[in-house]
Amino acid sequence: MRLALPGEAWAEAWAMRVPFLQPAVIPLAGCRRREPIPDARARLGLKSDERLALVFGTLHGEKDYDVVWRAFADLHGWRLLIVGEVADAYRQSQRQRCDGHEPILLGGYVDATTRDLVFCAADVVILSFQPNHWRDSGVLMDAIAWGVPVVCSGHSTAADIVRTFRLGVVFEPGNADSLAQAVRSAPTRITPHDLERARSARSDHAVVLRCLEALGEPERGDAAPVAEP
């Protein structure tokens, strides 16, 4: 029996506890390949000249949004685009009443078309987790699919991917000043070479192939190799 896990830290922990499961390091979330939507901002009713940082997704205890709100309270020249359940959480926190920042909020369920448009409209995507978050990130996969630079908290699987493929900038988890500086220094685009490397290594097709490779080697006691281009 083999156990698919998204990172080395998970594999090492499981190998110590239940070695008979033969943990294999395999990405569990894959990405698509998408082309830019030139009129994305117009279709969303957004200004063409604003610098937008996208915060997208659902809520769970391993995400840290408070540091994002604190960082952008004094981050001039940028505006948050907050989409999904996290937008509802922002409204409930009422932080816009005390910090002066006025984000764009699209709350509730977001359909696939809106999701694609907001990723195309964004200049960067913000990923903020509690330290030692070793799960896959579907939001990161969407950022890769659309080729949007990423600003990501460190000590996480997502940060390792950002560094490996040079997809953006990593900041210190929980540190608003570090996050603000990361946004200021984020690249305006991912180089075509790095983007192609990330899309090839993290595509849905690549994930399926690694799962099949792991299933085809049940006699091995070590983790299935993960070779990045």
Side-chain angles (χ1 to χ4, degrees), residues 132-157:
N132 301 315
H133 175 80
W134 304 117
R135 299 180 186 274
D136 275 5
S137 170
V139 176
L140 175 58
M141 293 302 104
D142 281 334
I144 295 172
W146 290 107
V148 188
V150 179
V151 172
C152 180
S153 56
H155 308 290
S156 66
T157 297

Side-chain angles (χ1 to χ4, degrees), residues 8-229:
E8 292 289 349
W10 285 72
E12 292 172 3
W14 276 93
M16 293 177 62
R17 296 181 182 181
V18 279
F20 60 87
L21 287 179
Q22 300 184 17
V25 178
I26 302 172
L28 303 182
C31 72
R32 306 161 294 163
R33 291 173 181 264
R34 295 297 192 217
E35 295 299 325
I37 303 174
D39 62 344
R41 290 198 178 191
R43 291 171 63 177
L44 291 168
L46 303 177
K47 296 179 180 178
S48 61
D49 58 348
E50 285 190 310
R51 303 189 74 186
L52 297 178
L54 174 64
V55 177
F56 182 95
T58 58
L59 297 170
H60 62 67
E62 293 184 347
K63 292 183 179 180
D64 180 7
Y65 294 121
D66 184 69
V67 69
V68 181
W69 314 153
R70 289 188 282 116
F72 276 82
D74 298 313
L75 190 57
H76 302 294
W78 284 89
R79 192 176 184 189
L80 281 171
L81 171 59
I82 309 175
V83 182
E85 286 184 9
V86 66
D88 300 324
Y90 185 92
R91 286 193 182 98
Q92 293 174 7
S93 75
Q94 298 184 337
R95 289 190 176 277
Q96 65 268 42
R97 296 186 181 181
C98 61
D99 63 20
H101 183 77
E102 295 183 1
I104 300 163
L105 303 175
L106 299 176
Y109 171 77
V110 176
D111 60 31
T113 298
T114 303
R115 179 191 61 190
D116 292 346
L117 289 173
V118 296
F119 275 92
C120 283
D123 293 293
V124 298
V125 172
I126 308 293
L127 295 175
S128 179
F129 304 107
Q130 301 291 344
N132 301 315
H133 175 80
W134 304 117
R135 299 180 186 274
D136 275 5
S137 170
V139 176
L140 175 58
M141 293 302 104
D142 281 334
I144 295 172
W146 290 107
V148 188
V150 179
V151 172
C152 180
S153 56
H155 308 290
S156 66
T157 297
D160 291 343
I161 295 171
V162 170
R163 290 191 183 99
T164 297
F165 297 104
R166 296 190 287 272
L167 302 176
V169 185
V170 173
F171 67 93
E172 187 64 26
N175 188 321
D177 291 336
S178 178
L179 170 52
Q181 180 56 38
V183 173
R184 294 188 188 99
S185 62
T188 57
R189 64 191 289 269
I190 303 169
T191 68
H193 173 71
D194 290 330
L195 185 58
E196 179 57 32
R197 288 197 307 132
R199 285 174 170 173
S200 296
R202 305 294 303 200
S203 69
D204 291 335
H205 181 70
V207 171
V208 171
L209 285 180
R210 292 184 190 186
C211 289
L212 292 175
E213 289 171 0
L215 288 172
E217 300 175 347
E219 73 284 354
R220 290 186 52 177
D222 58 335
V226 178
E228 303 290 3

